[in-house]
Amino acid sequence: MTTAHGYAATSPTSPLAPFSFERRTPGAQDVALDVLYCGVCHSDLHTARNEWKNTIYPSVPGHEIVGRVTAVGDLVSKFKVGDLVGIGCMVDSCQHCTPCADGLEQYCDNGFTGTYNGPMFPNGTNTYGGYSSHMVVRESFVLRISHGLDDLAAVAPLLCAGITTYSPLRQWKVGPGQKVGIVGLGGLGHMGVKIAAAMGAHVVLFTTSESKRADALRLGAKEVVVSKNADEMAAHANSFDFILNTVAAAHNLDAFLGLLKLDGTMTLVGAPETPHPSPNVFGLIMKRRRLAGSLIGGIKETQEMLDFCAQHGIVSDIETIPMDQIETAYTRMLKSDVKYRFVIDMATL
């Protein structure tokens, strides 16, 4: 066992504060790493404050992790000491159900083990995440980072925001010749714009704020639509092959479903605190439209995403913060006061 130092929430109302705990000694199939950077996801805030009513305290959040390998087990073959690696939203799964066998560990029939707020297979031990000095993770859930050293902080959010948007874009075969909408320009949406544009699609960004127009165009959108403007929306009726909806607040889905062409799909990746109003069934059946959902990606697909982003020079737009500013970051996140992701420099721990 080794002592790790991190920041933890101990109740829904307590601010995150310094916390020490034990990590397991690396086993034969484990990789140990020092955490260099950890992105700040809205899921971290939901969990710290028990907004999803499933938090196990004390809770050490963080699942957008970039680190450097410090030790490997005897049976580890893919990594060596000194390698730059990533850890995403999960650190284990049952490994024997059909989704796991198909490389879709995120849909494990027995429930994947989250990087934080576990519980870990097979003993149910709570997992502690990347707001910490170091981690020990099974080799099969460790990812290789091939971006340059100067990009490491901005790579961290790819481990959640990047794969959350890449996976549905890949699943619905987004590419050249397609008209693709991205709803929302936040932590997820700005990654969706970058990735869809790199895939060759004609990207249209939907936002409620005119002030985001310039940023959306800079990130790769070809057009920007202010969704509160009925005329701008009507001009795009029945024209989209695919829409990725990243908004994590309840809203009227019909306005966007009506923009899909025949057999078009809108996929939801934002997780609102309260349900969306139920869509009008006629908006679906009259054009054989589809409303779908998507989680993160499996390990194989997450590695594919990292390699794709390295090849195309894609990283997240970030603001780097010291560890002791995490509560300030949470407050600013709630006000959408970040472009577009906070990343903790763990050297400040």
Side-chain angles (χ1 to χ4, degrees), residues 8-331:
T10 55
S11 77
T13 57
S14 65
L16 273 73
F19 173 68
S20 295
F21 58 97
E22 297 300 311
R23 294 278 193 204
R24 70 177 185 268
T25 300
Q29 296 178 317
D30 286 335
V31 173
L33 59 131
D34 284 341
V35 179
L36 303 177
Y37 298 100
C38 186
V40 180
C41 178
H42 211 102
S43 299
D44 301 351
L45 188 156
H46 286 311
T47 301
R49 298 183 177 175
N50 199 26
E51 292 176 352
W52 290 334
K53 309 305 180 187
N54 66 348
T55 304
I56 303 167
Y57 292 103
S59 176
V60 178
H63 60 201
E64 299 178 344
I65 300 157
V66 170
R68 191 180 297 277
V69 175
T70 57
V72 297
D74 292 342
L75 299 181
V76 171
S77 60
K78 297 178 183 176
F79 303 99
K80 65 183 185 302
V81 172
D83 283 349
L84 293 169
V85 295
I87 307 296
C89 301
M90 53 186 173
V91 291
D92 206 358
S93 68
C94 81
Q95 299 288 287
H96 58 72
C97 67
T98 298
C100 284
D102 290 340
L104 299 170
E105 299 93 343
Q106 75 274 31
Y107 300 122
C108 175
D109 286 341
N110 296 291
F112 70 81
T113 297
T115 302
Y116 59 85
N117 207 49
M120 176 67 78
F121 287 102
N123 58 15
T125 304
N126 189 26
T127 53
Y128 295 129
Y131 294 10
S132 60
S133 56
H134 67 279
M135 300 191 69
V136 179
V137 181
R138 286 178 56 172
E139 177 188 24
S140 53
F141 284 81
V142 179
L143 299 144
R144 185 173 302 281
I145 302 295
S146 54
H147 286 75
L149 292 175
D150 291 342
D151 288 330
L152 292 184
V155 167
L158 300 183
L159 277 305
C160 178
I163 187 56
T164 297
T165 50
Y166 180 90
S167 186
L169 292 168
R170 187 80 166 81
Q171 173 66 25
W172 277 274
K173 298 179 172 59
V174 164
Q178 289 192 317
K179 184 177 178 182
V180 171
I182 306 294
V183 184
L185 194 66
L188 292 177
H190 94 286
M191 292 307 311
V193 170
K194 289 186 178 189
I195 292 170
M199 289 177 169
H202 178 95
V203 179
V204 180
L205 186 279
F206 293 94
T207 178
T208 58
S209 175
E210 174 65 35
S211 65
K212 292 193 174 181
R213 184 179 297 273
D215 248 11
L217 296 173
R218 173 182 63 83
L219 294 167
K222 297 298 184 185
E223 300 179 65
V224 177
V225 172
V226 177
S227 58
K228 294 184 292 187
N229 186 313
D231 291 338
E232 288 189 29
M233 292 289 282
H236 291 273
N238 305 314
S239 66
F240 282 87
D241 297 281
F242 182 77
I243 295 176
L244 182 65
N245 191 326
T246 73
V247 175
H251 60 281
N252 179 8
L253 301 178
D254 288 331
F256 298 103
L257 289 169
L259 304 181
L260 294 169
K261 62 169 59 171
L262 177 66
D263 286 330
T265 299
M266 179 163 73
T267 297
L268 307 179
V269 292
E273 207 173 326
T274 58
H276 296 296
S278 181
N280 185 326
V281 68
F282 288 100
L284 296 171
I285 64 177
M286 297 304 291
K287 288 289 186 180
R288 204 163 59 193
R289 296 171 175 132
R290 303 177 184 90
L291 178 61
S294 180
L295 193 58
I296 52 173
I299 295 301
K300 180 180 178 181
E301 188 175 54
T302 305
Q303 187 63 65
E304 178 186 292
M305 176 276 303
L306 286 169
D307 294 342
F308 177 90
C309 288
Q311 177 186 352
H312 291 273
I314 295 173
V315 293
S316 183
D317 283 26
I318 67 166
E319 181 178 332
T320 307
I321 60 168
M323 183 73 254
D324 63 6
Q325 292 298 305
I326 186 60
E327 285 293 331
T328 300
Y330 281 1
T331 299

